[in-house]
Amino acid sequence: MRAENATGVADSAVVRVVPWVPHKVPTGFTAVRALNSQFVAVKQDRVYGSSDGLAWTELAIIADEQLDDVVQFGSTYLAVGRGGIYTSSDLRSWQKGTLPSGASTQFTGSRLTVANDRVLMARQRLFSSPDGIDWVEVELSASVKINDVAYVSGRFYAVGGEDLPDDARVGQLRETIYVSFDGLVWDQVNLSSRLPARQHGEASSFDRIAFIEGQLRATVHQGKRLYSSPDGTTWTAQDVSLGGNWTTFSGIDGRLMFGSTGGTYVTEDGINWVRNLGAPDEISTLRVDDKLIRYGSQGIYESKDGVQWTTVANELFVGKAAYGGGRFVAAESFSDSHALTSRDGLLWTRLEIELSANNDLVFGGGFGVGGTRKWLKSDVDGGWTDLITVSHDAGGRSLSAA
């Protein structure tokens, strides 16, 4: 086996190797949206695009930003983050806009929704815009903080928390819901008969609202409580309090699922919750037709029932790699790492072979992973054999069986 260079081209008489661009599978998205026949996600200062929700391409970097959400409004895309709001016509070039008066600066956790020729933004207060550029604050009680906004079945819903008049502990919020037909005039839903008895010093507010498995679902901070409604008017509350810091709420096949740092909990009747020990962690979840796609801190997963999950892509830091014989072989991009192998460049398997991130990889009828004093050769079926190189041949041009 003769190595030509460190870029992945080796012994061209045998095979021409596809050069590899070092990359990292993007996971752990803050928000994922289905927008105009494609999927768009944001994470930290990056914007990603995908045709199927599984394989993702980095589209843009918004420097020094921490993005929370992204939506499409007509022919314009809007993204909101810690430092401001941004607009784009192609998802690649972004222009920073002006935050509306009264909006919190350096705030993380904003949410957007679009309907009826209007875009709404929840950023502690609620803001409305006819074009995504000029914003006005919606007139709500001064004691209300809004955490999420959604449009479902002809109505806007905004959820958050409010200081109750009889509460002597200022700043201790209780959950509240507002509803609107046009996004301008809002009415507060009466939840007083459904609010549980308050514990001393307890603060709770809604953090998310969505239409899941045939009903509106509103979750209370850190998974303490779940509200459900078939019509947005009549609500029932259920204490959950399963533990952990809740990150997502989703559903499929008649099941509801809470995802958290403490694990994933599933219910089929909305009452009895069971921890799914086989489920991966999740930061965001996307429903695509008849399956769920889950984006965790370590990978991308899919499931058709919310119970059994298949790994689609895992977050391994891939450095140098080569392709041949229908598969990739790579080195993790750490100083002390392992060899990786993959059929599609997305789902990687870690091999029990220790490498340096500076090792070169080539293909010449089999894979070669090279260091300064040793190479490893692999046939197409994945069997590995040690090869040796002489001291003056660090490039591996003269190799023999160890």
Side-chain angles (χ1 to χ4, degrees), residues 65-69 80-85 99 102-111 121-125 127 145-148 208:
E65 188 51 271
Q66 185 76 33
L67 297 171
D68 294 320
D69 204 0
V80 64
R82 179 183 60 190
I85 192 161
L99 281 171
S104 299
T105 59
Q106 298 301 307
F107 175 79
T108 299
S110 298
R111 300 286 291 177
M121 176 173 63
R123 192 180 177 93
Q124 289 195 319
R125 302 296 295 172
F127 303 89
K145 290 185 178 180
I146 299 298
N147 297 322
D148 195 15
R208 290 290 180 263

Side-chain angles (χ1 to χ4, degrees), residues 92-319:
R92 294 182 180 274
S93 178
W94 292 83
Q95 294 75 45
K96 187 173 183 178
T98 303
L99 281 171
S101 176
S104 299
T105 59
Q106 298 301 307
F107 175 79
T108 299
S110 298
R111 300 286 291 177
L112 299 167
T113 196
V114 173
N116 290 356
D117 297 323
R118 185 163 297 278
V119 57
L120 276 293
M121 176 173 63
R123 192 180 177 93
Q124 289 195 319
R125 302 296 295 172
L126 185 62
F127 303 89
S128 176
S129 172
D131 55 14
I133 298 175
D134 297 317
W135 296 82
V136 296
E137 183 176 341
V138 174
E139 293 185 5
L140 301 178
S141 169
S143 61
V144 169
K145 290 185 178 180
I146 299 298
N147 297 322
D148 195 15
V149 60
Y151 184 81
V152 178
S153 301
R155 294 181 182 181
F156 291 97
Y157 295 89
V159 299
E162 180 181 19
D163 277 323
L164 296 181
D166 59 349
D167 187 2
R169 296 175 62 86
V170 176
Q172 300 296 303
L173 303 178
R174 296 304 303 270
E175 47 264 47
T176 189
I177 300 176
Y178 281 82
V179 62
S180 172
F181 287 99
D182 59 8
L184 295 173
V185 179
W186 293 77
D187 296 314
Q188 190 172 24
V189 177
N190 184 5
L191 295 177
S192 59
S193 63
R194 300 167 185 83
L195 292 174
R198 188 148 188 195
Q199 302 298 318
H200 177 71
E202 179 191 28
S204 62
S205 62
F206 288 115
D207 51 15
R208 290 290 180 263
I209 185 168
F211 188 77
I212 300 175
E213 291 301 286
Q215 292 196 49
L216 275 165
R217 316 282 184 172
T219 58
V220 175
H221 183 56
Q222 294 184 347
K224 293 178 181 178
R225 202 166 297 115
L226 170 65
Y227 286 76
S228 301
S229 174
D231 55 14
T233 302
T234 304
W235 293 83
T236 57
Q238 177 198 358
D239 285 328
V240 181
S241 298
L242 298 175
N245 294 318
W246 298 99
T247 55
T248 63
F249 184 52
S250 56
I252 195 170
D253 197 28
R255 298 182 178 92
L256 301 179
M257 281 150 281
F258 267 131
S260 80
T261 54
T264 296
Y265 293 83
V266 181
T267 180
E268 297 193 16
D269 58 11
I271 300 174
N272 300 299
W273 294 81
V274 178
R275 184 177 180 183
N276 182 359
L277 297 177
D281 74 325
E282 59 179 313
I283 296 176
S284 57
T285 299
L286 178 68
R287 174 74 180 263
V288 181
D289 299 327
D290 63 344
K291 66 182 177 182
L292 287 174
I293 302 177
R294 176 171 289 179
Y295 305 94
S297 61
Q298 300 297 319
I300 301 175
Y301 316 87
E302 64 180 3
S303 174
K304 290 194 173 184
D305 60 9
V307 178
Q308 301 295 324
W309 293 87
T310 301
T311 303
V312 176
N314 40 10
E315 189 178 57
L316 295 172
F317 292 79
V318 179

